[in-house]
Amino acid sequence: MLELKNHEHNDLFWITLRDGNVRLATLNADPGYQVYTERLIKIDEKEYRTFDPFKSKLAAAIRSNMKTYPFSKGCSVLYLGAASGTTVSHVSDMIGENGVIYALEFSSRSVSDLINIAERRKNIIPIHADARFPEGYSFTVPMVDILYEDVAQPTQAEILNANIKAFLKKGGYFFIAVKARSIDVTKEPKLIYKEVEEQLKSFGLTILETIDLESFEKDHVMIIGQK
Ligand SMILES: C[S@@+](CC[C@H](N)C(=O)[O-])C[C@H]1O[C@@H](n2cnc3c(N)ncnc32)[C@H](O)[C@@H]1O
């Protein structure tokens, strides 16, 4: 039998499958429609989407006991490096129809996927732009509650800081997925994570937690903090 339980964080769920395996899930805001390879599961007239930690670093962080959870119904998010919308679509489920997620991506091909998803999910606003140049989208994006960055670039800390200055409300939360090999393939990953943390502190940001995503993504951490 399928079993549904609330996760300790709002708008997230645990589903026990018939084979006994447990999956993280969100409530599907667009029932009947799959965004990637997630499973759609109906329980008590509602449809849930499995949130795959091998496909989403946010799901990987949540599965690795992420404590900071600022997502709530109606909040606003700027997401840098939205790709084809895998994680964006789950954030869209989590923040509800009164929330908004500005999904920024510079690859034209990925942006066309994002546009297709945004036609079905009204809380997603796709933006075709380069995250290195916030002035290019400052007319479209207001001050937001949460800034999420997953761009896998060597200068990702600087990119994050430029966007925090332009768009994150004071006291707002930031998430940065750090891929050690995108920064320096020759350095020990732990050293790279420390350097990124120090860099973020030097920008005047507060770090709340650094989550090792190793169980799901090799040589990655998620750093979460506050402006
Ligand atoms: C690791 S993927 C993101 C995966 C996505 N966050 C998810 O969980 O579904 C990194 C993405 O960042 C995009 N990207 C890299 N540099 C960028 C930049 N300067 N501006 C906008 N997008 C960028 C890439 O095109 C790529 O789609």
Side-chain angles (χ1 to χ4, degrees):
M1 214 188 78
L2 291 167
E3 199 192 328
L4 177 78
K5 269 196 202 145
N6 287 330
H7 188 278
E8 61 169 297
H9 297 311
N10 287 338
D11 307 307
L12 292 173
F13 303 89
W14 291 118
I15 295 178
T16 308
L17 303 175
R18 291 195 175 86
D19 61 9
N21 283 315
V22 178
R23 296 279 181 271
L24 183 67
T26 57
L27 182 63
N28 194 358
D30 184 17
Y33 192 82
Q34 205 186 14
V35 175
Y36 56 109
T37 52
E38 80 277 27
R39 281 180 65 176
L40 305 183
I41 300 171
K42 262 216 167 108
I43 301 176
D44 295 339
E45 306 300 309
K46 287 183 177 160
E47 188 177 275
Y48 298 84
R49 304 166 59 223
T50 55
F51 193 4
D52 187 343
F54 293 98
K55 298 269 164 62
S56 164
K57 282 156 226 154
L58 180 58
I62 294 166
R63 287 286 307 269
S64 307
N65 291 324
M66 182 174 104
K67 305 219 167 27
T68 315
Y69 187 81
F71 300 95
S72 61
K73 290 270 186 282
C75 75
S76 55
V77 183
L78 170 59
Y79 192 116
L80 308 173
S84 297
T86 298
T87 303
V88 164
S89 65
H90 285 286
V91 175
S92 157
D93 287 341
M94 284 147 54
I95 64 177
E97 57 191 13
N98 294 326
V100 60
I101 172 161
Y102 299 90
L104 187 135
E105 172 55 56
F106 72 179
S107 140
S108 319
R109 197 168 158 191
S110 297
V111 171
S112 83
D113 292 339
L114 285 172
I115 291 170
N116 289 336
I117 301 172
E119 272 166 10
R120 311 183 54 90
R121 291 172 169 266
K122 298 299 172 209
N123 62 3
I124 299 177
I125 304 198
I127 301 174
H128 191 191
D130 188 328
R132 287 173 298 175
F133 308 110
E135 59 282 5
Y137 43 95
S138 59
F139 291 105
T140 318
V141 180
M143 298 302 278
V144 294
D145 302 308
I146 300 169
L147 206 152
Y148 186 103
E149 180 182 273
D150 181 13
V151 293
Q153 293 277 343
T155 56
Q156 55 191 4
E158 287 89 348
I159 299 175
L160 181 81
N161 190 39
N163 281 275
I164 283 179
K165 278 192 189 152
F167 305 112
L168 188 62
K169 291 178 187 168
K170 181 106 190 83
Y173 292 83
F174 67 84
F175 290 66
I176 175 170
V178 181
K179 177 179 177 183
R181 273 170 300 136
S182 298
I183 297 179
D184 189 338
V185 281
T186 64
K187 255 190 202 161
E188 179 61 28
K190 284 204 167 65
L191 200 64
I192 295 177
Y193 307 146
K194 272 273 156 280
E195 283 173 4
V196 176
E197 285 178 348
E198 289 311 315
Q199 208 177 351
L200 296 174
K201 284 184 203 159
S202 77
F203 297 145
L205 301 167
T206 304
I207 293 176
L208 300 173
E209 57 180 319
T210 297
I211 305 166
D212 193 341
L213 307 184
E214 191 66 29
S215 311
F216 305 102
E217 289 270 3
K218 194 172 160 39
D219 295 340
H220 278 74
V221 290
M222 179 75 78
I223 302 177
I224 308 175
Q226 232 175 338
K227 184 173 181 180

